[in-house]
Amino acid sequence: MSARDEAPRVVVTGATGAVGRHVTRALARRGPVRSLVRDASRARRLELPGETVVGDYRDGPALKRALAGADAVFVVTANPLRPQDDAQILDAARAAGVRKAVKLSWLAVADPSANDLIARWNRQSEQMLRTSGLAWTVLRMRTPMSNTLSWASSIREESVVRALDGNARTACVDPRDVAEVAVRALTEAGHEGVTYALTGPEPIGAREQTEILARVVGRPLAFEELTAEQALERWSARLPGAVAEALLEAAQRRRAGDSSEVGDDLGRLIGRPPATFASWAADHAAAFS
């Protein structure tokens, strides 16, 4: 039997997301991987490897198909208004005989002052995992660098970035680094019952990110500061009101410096310094050019 045949069979939920796509690709280089996705066309555009099951977390038969024969599951949920999603994944995992679950969460959970909807939802989801009966690992990540892709169209079309609190710094993290930790936790022993705090190597604000992106695209970029009202209006245009309000609360904590702390878990786990925003931006230059 080859080492590849002996590799654990892993199911990735949220496989088209910023972290999940990299987890899926890395796992496929090690052994069998199966993805649960809602949008089959998006999975095809991303050229996700391995087997794909199409379904929603509320789709019991799809969850059953996805988790059949699996050893481990990467748990990624995205809707704080549907906390039952985590419960449904974990219930299906137990029923399928899955042994291990690795949960993607947010570092704001560790902040006692964070009491917005998103922080409360993640705390509840983490508790579900810890009491699930499965071997568990929690990955609390700081804001992914890929969030700046939301600026891509205004950079391409107007050479401008619009954001709230341009000087508020956060130790944003490269999703590829988070994915590397996830793969280790899913396929190696020694991570069970552990919560990791995953940050980038330095705190950086939107104005500094704009300057870096200007160098990447090779032309000046303007930065326009949004007011809290403007930011809330933008979020509310594409998200439920309660979620938009939670994002504004999180932004206010960033202004107070609550997201700027740099941790050492990520570098220790991957055996190298975490990627900087400058290196991430250079690798994604085509999206902004």
Side-chain angles (χ1 to χ4, degrees):
M1 182 178 291
S2 70
R4 183 177 175 84
D5 292 332
E6 294 172 352
R9 179 179 292 277
V10 181
V11 172
V12 180
T13 68
T16 61
V19 175
R21 66 185 67 181
H22 299 297
V23 172
T24 303
R25 291 165 181 155
L27 287 169
R29 294 191 288 270
R30 290 170 168 252
V33 61
R34 183 184 297 144
S35 302
L36 177 66
V37 302
R38 289 179 298 171
D39 187 341
S41 62
R42 181 172 172 81
R44 286 193 295 270
R45 288 196 301 273
L46 291 171
E47 299 181 339
L48 292 183
E51 181 184 355
T52 299
V53 174
V54 179
D56 187 86
Y57 298 143
R58 293 170 290 188
D59 184 345
L63 278 172
K64 184 176 181 180
R65 290 194 306 273
L67 290 161
D71 299 308
V73 58
F74 186 49
V75 181
V76 182
T77 53
N79 190 342
L81 301 178
R82 273 176 34 194
Q84 66 271 24
D85 285 352
D86 282 86
Q88 287 160 331
I89 294 170
L90 295 172
D91 286 347
R94 279 194 300 268
V98 174
R99 297 179 295 106
K100 179 188 293 188
V102 176
K103 164 74 178 172
L104 186 65
S105 186
W106 297 98
L107 198 44
V109 169
D111 181 355
S113 69
N115 195 39
D116 60 77
L117 171 67
I118 296 174
R120 295 196 307 271
W121 160 61
N122 276 291
R123 288 193 186 103
Q124 179 182 354
S125 299
E126 287 187 13
Q127 185 60 20
M128 284 184 197
L129 179 64
R130 293 189 182 98
T131 58
S132 66
L134 303 176
W136 59 267
T137 308
V138 172
L139 309 181
R140 290 176 176 170
M141 67 181 291
R142 191 55 83 194
T143 303
M145 294 172 181
S146 54
N147 278 12
T148 59
L149 289 170
S150 65
W151 303 338
S153 61
S154 66
I155 287 175
R156 291 193 305 266
E157 297 165 12
E158 305 173 71
S159 295
V160 65
V161 169
R162 298 181 180 90
L164 178 65
D165 294 329
N167 294 323
R169 293 183 170 188
T170 184
C172 58
V173 63
D174 189 326
R176 297 171 296 185
D177 287 346
V178 177
E180 189 170 336
V181 175
V183 171
R184 289 179 179 272
L186 288 161
T187 61
E188 301 174 357
H191 303 282
E192 295 81 5
V194 181
T195 298
Y196 294 121
L198 307 180
T199 76
E202 59 188 353
I204 187 170
R207 288 184 183 275
E208 293 170 278
Q209 290 172 319
T210 301
E211 293 170 2
I212 290 169
L213 290 170
R215 294 195 291 271
V216 165
V217 300
R219 66 179 188 279
L221 298 177
F223 181 85
E224 294 183 6
E225 184 94 33
L226 296 178
T227 65
E229 292 75 15
Q230 289 171 325
L232 184 61
E233 182 179 358
R234 284 169 171 252
W235 286 323
S236 298
R238 57 185 178 84
L239 297 167
V243 178
E245 291 282 356
L247 291 174
L248 184 59
E249 289 183 48
Q252 291 167 339
R253 292 197 305 274
R254 281 197 300 275
R255 185 186 307 154
D258 292 352
S259 300
S260 60
E261 184 176 355
V262 173
D264 60 6
D265 281 354
L266 182 52
R268 176 172 53 82
L269 288 162
I270 63 177
R272 58 173 171 78
T276 63
F277 180 76
S279 66
W280 179 90
D283 289 345
H284 294 80
F288 300 96
S289 300

